[in-house]
Amino acid sequence: MTAVLPDTTRLVPSTLREEDAVLDVVVPAGDGWVGEIAAGSTLRIVDLHGNQAVDTLFYDAADLANRYSAVDTLREQGAAYLTTGSRLLSHRQDVLATIVADMCGRHDTLGGACAQESNVVRYGPQTRHMHACRVTFLRKLAEIGRDVRDLAPNVNFFMNVPLTDEGGLTFEDGLSGPGKYVEVRAERDLVVLISNCPQLNNPCNGYDPTPVRLLGFPA
Ligand SMILES: [Zn+2]
């Protein structure tokens, strides 16, 4: 297997100033967040301690059925990873958001979210009751009156899931580090759903899930 490193030309710092943020939330390790991001505004996700996967779904706030589609996003950009310039498409081919800054260089959208069921399959029956992203997604969806029908394959910000030369997928140690961030500009009014991944059975969180910070900037 070849360790393909991110294209460093895609590392683009933010042009926004932290003091201009109108949203400033720390999401504890293993917790989640759901909220609205207005069209034209920007959400910065900060990997405070490094190597923390942030499972994220985007929905058109005007119609939550118009949601993020990993397969449409990857097909249209012709590349397997997300970074600066990636346009996050819905299954109706609407551009929901654009990654406008990125200090990590690679984000996954192939690996999906961890679940109690997949933990059992991958890591054994003793993991059945470990907390998982799917649980967090469902709990936060319930807060806005939505349910399992709104789940779809998600973005894993800061998660490193390299494709092998043979076409395989592996969960590898992260490429992110303390203080690295990614910024997403909303191209329409969005609902954003986040699970700050609690996974302890693979290296996606360095076996030590940690808090992340969300900063929101007006248009
Ligand atoms: Zn997870």
Side-chain angles (χ1 to χ4, degrees):
M1 188 187 76
T2 308
V4 183
L5 294 172
D7 176 359
T8 54
T9 64
R10 306 288 285 277
L11 294 178
V12 175
S14 175
T15 59
L16 300 167
R17 300 183 309 170
E18 196 171 305
E19 55 266 36
D20 293 331
V22 295
L23 168 79
D24 188 351
V25 178
V26 170
V27 183
D31 204 351
W33 184 86
V34 66
E36 292 201 23
I37 302 293
S41 58
T42 300
L43 179 67
R44 180 189 301 173
I45 305 172
V46 186
D47 187 357
L48 290 172
H49 299 274
N51 212 352
Q52 175 59 44
V54 182
D55 293 45
T56 306
L57 276 165
F58 298 91
Y59 305 84
D60 182 344
D63 178 4
L64 266 61
N66 190 24
R67 65 193 179 204
Y68 174 72
S69 167
V71 67
D72 292 292
T73 296
L74 295 187
R75 185 195 62 239
E76 288 305 305
Q77 74 171 13
Y81 309 118
L82 304 178
T83 183
T84 310
S86 289
R87 300 188 313 154
L88 308 182
L89 302 185
S90 75
H91 61 91
R92 297 179 192 160
Q93 316 305 307
D94 293 318
V95 182
L96 299 178
T98 305
I99 297 178
V100 291
D102 183 12
M103 297 308 289
C104 175
R106 180 189 291 174
H107 307 272
D108 166 68
T109 193
L110 294 168
C114 65
Q116 292 175 304
E117 294 81 359
S118 61
N119 279 343
V120 169
V121 171
R122 288 177 180 144
Y123 310 115
Q126 75 281 5
T127 65
R128 175 70 181 85
H129 297 290
M130 292 178 75
H131 188 49
C133 283
R134 186 176 169 86
V135 178
T136 300
F137 275 158
L138 291 173
R139 183 167 58 83
K140 302 310 287 188
L141 279 172
E143 291 180 9
I144 59 168
R146 310 292 293 204
D147 60 29
V148 67
R149 288 170 290 189
D150 297 300
L151 288 184
N154 52 285
V155 178
N156 290 306
F157 288 114
F158 307 113
M159 191 167 160
N160 185 25
V161 184
L163 291 167
T164 68
D165 289 345
E166 297 77 28
L169 279 179
T170 56
F171 294 157
E172 293 289 317
D173 203 15
L175 301 166
S176 187
K180 293 195 176 186
Y181 58 82
V182 61
E183 279 186 1
V184 179
R185 184 181 64 220
E187 305 297 357
R188 56 180 62 203
D189 292 343
L190 297 178
V191 170
V192 181
L193 174 66
I194 286 174
S195 168
N196 190 15
C197 181
Q199 180 61 263
L200 290 167
N201 300 292
N202 71 46
C204 70
N205 305 315
Y207 300 100
D208 181 20
T210 49
V212 297
R213 186 181 181 194
L214 308 178
L215 292 168
F217 301 90

